[in-house]
């Protein structure tokens, strides 16, 4: 059987929907993997062989440029492959979780993916000053923060998001209630129809928001919508990977008294000195300690 390449646009269990060019036309194919392996991710470029007119089997995954995933003590979950940027959607109301935002930023840093914050619902003026203050913590670390209102300025919002995503492979993540679906619908007007088609093609019978899916914006740009989640475990990151995923730590690394400093309670720790003088916030240092603690609990997958 001859092998061709295709882009994975949705995944459900060990069933995948891929987009492939066959005889100059774009086709969506329902593919499975051989055996019990299911390490294919949305955004992967895979090699497949046709088994019937609209079905195939995935034979190989081409080398990935990036891979974003989250993990708890017991297992890891791939979110998407070959991403160039991550947009974290937060809102003026309901209140967003700093823990989730910070963890997503660490995940992006450790994966070589450029993160941005999208502050939605800026039309809710009563909650705006507090939300701006909280988003300002991340802006102060060098992360771009973009203010939008999908409700009162849909065209301006669509244009800003479109410009931001041009030539990029982007994933949107956010807790439920932040308005992520509204932003997707502005960018991809027929997103709901496309999602229903994907659900039918994969025969999931599941609620359409429970799986990750990719929408092609143009030849060089696509956006991946992931289900809303409330937790972002990073158990797979080692202590060394974690300390390098905090950009404000970088100027101080290597300046501690002990070369194997854990930045916990050691004398002469440059990171702890930076926390004392305010150049690293207590919130961020506490998150680092929490992530190191979680990483140490991991029992292997």
């Amino acid at each position: 059987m001859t092998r061709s390449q295709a882009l994975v646009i949705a995944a459900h269990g060990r069933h995948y929907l891929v987009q492939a060019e066959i005889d100059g036309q774009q086709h969506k194919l329902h593919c499975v993997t051989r055996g019990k392996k299911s390490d294919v991710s949305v955004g992967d470029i895979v090699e497949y062989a046709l088994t019937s007119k609209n079905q195939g089997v995935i034979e190989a995954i081409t080398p990935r440029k990036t891979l974003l995933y989250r993990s708890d003590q017991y297992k890891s979950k791939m979110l998407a492959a070959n991403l160039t940027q991550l947009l974290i959607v937060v809102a003026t109301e309901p209140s967003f979780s700093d823990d989730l935002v910070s963890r997503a930023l660490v995940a992006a840093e450790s994966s070589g993916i450029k993160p941005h914050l999208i502050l939605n619902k800026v039309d809710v003026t009563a909650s705006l000053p507090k939300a701006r203050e909280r988003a300002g913590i991340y802006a102060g670390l060098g992360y771009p923060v973009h203010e939008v209102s999908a409700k009162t300025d849909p065209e301006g919002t669509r244009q800003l998001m479109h410009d931001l995503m041009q030539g990029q492979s982007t994933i949107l993540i956010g807790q439920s209630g932040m308005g992520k679906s509204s932003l997707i619908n502005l960018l991809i007007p027929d997103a709901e129809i496309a999602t229903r088609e994907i659900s039918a093609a994969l025969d999931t019978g599941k609620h359409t928001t429970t799986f990750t899916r990719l929408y092609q914006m143009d030849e060089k740009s696509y956006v991946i919508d992931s289900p809303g989640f409330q937790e972002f475990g990073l158990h797979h990151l080692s202590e060394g990977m974690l300390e390098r995923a905090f950009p404000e730590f970088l100027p101080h690394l290597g300046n501690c008294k002990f070369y194997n400093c854990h930045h916990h309670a050691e004398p002469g720790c440059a990171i702890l000195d930076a926390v004392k003088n305010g150049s690293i916030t207590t919130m961020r240092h506490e998150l680092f300690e929490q992530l190191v603690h979680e990483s140490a609990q991991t029992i292997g997958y």
Side-chain angles (χ1 to χ4, degrees):
M1 272 191 275
T2 55
R3 285 188 187 186
S4 307
Q5 287 196 348
L7 172 66
V8 179
I9 61 172
H12 177 67
R14 289 201 292 273
H15 294 261
Y16 302 92
L17 199 65
V18 307
Q19 190 160 300
E21 189 176 305
I22 302 172
D23 300 329
Q25 300 283 316
Q26 291 293 328
H27 291 267
K28 290 184 175 69
L29 308 171
H30 180 176
C31 287
V32 292
T33 50
R34 289 209 185 274
K36 292 207 166 125
K37 274 196 323 189
S38 59
D39 53 355
V40 179
S41 178
V42 172
D44 267 327
I45 305 288
V46 295
E47 293 182 352
Y48 74 96
L50 274 176
T51 52
S52 68
K53 188 183 166 195
N54 55 3
Q55 293 190 320
V57 62
I58 293 170
E59 304 279 10
I61 304 167
T62 66
R64 295 164 170 149
K65 296 185 183 79
T66 59
L67 179 64
L68 183 70
Y69 59 99
R70 57 196 181 103
S71 58
D72 61 20
Q73 195 172 343
Y74 304 101
K75 63 181 187 303
S76 61
K77 178 165 178 53
M78 293 185 292
L79 293 175
N82 298 316
L83 295 167
T84 58
Q85 65 180 4
L86 164 71
L87 302 190
I88 305 164
V89 182
V90 296
T92 49
E93 64 172 36
S95 182
F96 60 88
S97 159
D98 278 309
D99 184 64
L100 190 75
V101 170
S102 295
R103 285 164 177 267
L105 291 171
V106 169
E109 288 281 357
S110 66
S111 307
I113 299 162
K114 171 85 175 158
H116 295 251
L117 266 74
I118 306 292
L119 176 58
N120 191 19
K121 307 189 193 178
V122 293
D123 52 288
V124 186
T125 49
S127 308
L128 185 56
K130 181 70 180 158
R132 270 190 179 144
E133 185 188 323
R134 291 176 65 202
I137 294 169
Y138 306 107
L141 296 171
Y143 297 115
V145 177
H146 310 272
E147 296 192 356
V148 300
S149 171
K151 187 178 173 186
T152 59
D153 183 19
E155 190 42 47
T157 299
R158 194 199 68 77
Q159 193 60 55
L160 183 146
M161 298 283 286
H162 187 269
D163 292 350
L164 202 53
M165 294 176 169
Q166 210 52 44
Q168 304 283 339
S169 66
T170 305
I171 188 169
L172 265 70
I173 69 162
Q175 298 155 265
S176 51
M178 298 291 134
K180 183 165 65 75
S181 300
S182 306
L183 296 174
I184 290 282
N185 289 332
L186 279 179
L187 287 161
I188 317 286
D190 56 356
E192 285 180 24
I193 299 164
T195 301
R196 278 201 297 275
E197 283 174 3
I198 290 170
S199 190
L202 291 179
D203 195 24
T204 64
K206 285 193 94 169
H207 193 265
T208 51
T209 56
T210 56
F211 57 84
T212 303
R213 63 266 193 217
L214 179 151
Y215 305 106
Q216 195 102 26
M217 290 171 63
D218 57 48
E219 204 179 315
K220 293 193 172 149
S221 322
Y222 56 78
V223 55
I224 293 173
D225 185 18
S226 67
F229 44 79
Q230 306 302 324
E231 291 184 358
F232 203 121
L234 298 168
H235 288 246
H236 54 285
L237 298 180
S238 68
E239 188 173 334
M241 290 160 85
L242 285 167
E243 67 179 12
R244 290 190 297 278
F246 284 74
E248 69 272 43
F249 283 23
L250 297 178
H252 310 287
L253 294 177
N255 297 335
C256 299
K257 184 176 177 184
F258 300 107
Y259 80 94
N260 60 347
C261 185
H262 297 294
H263 322 306
H264 175 59
E266 294 86 348
C269 171
I271 299 288
L272 292 178
D273 287 346
V275 175
K276 276 195 201 106
N277 69 31
S279 54
I280 293 175
T281 66
T282 304
M283 177 183 95
R284 294 276 289 174
H285 181 255
E286 284 174 354
L287 174 72
F288 168 74
E289 294 228 289
Q290 176 62 29
L291 293 176
V292 169
H293 173 73
E294 288 174 13
S295 173
Q297 308 304 307
T298 305
I299 56 174
Y301 306 121

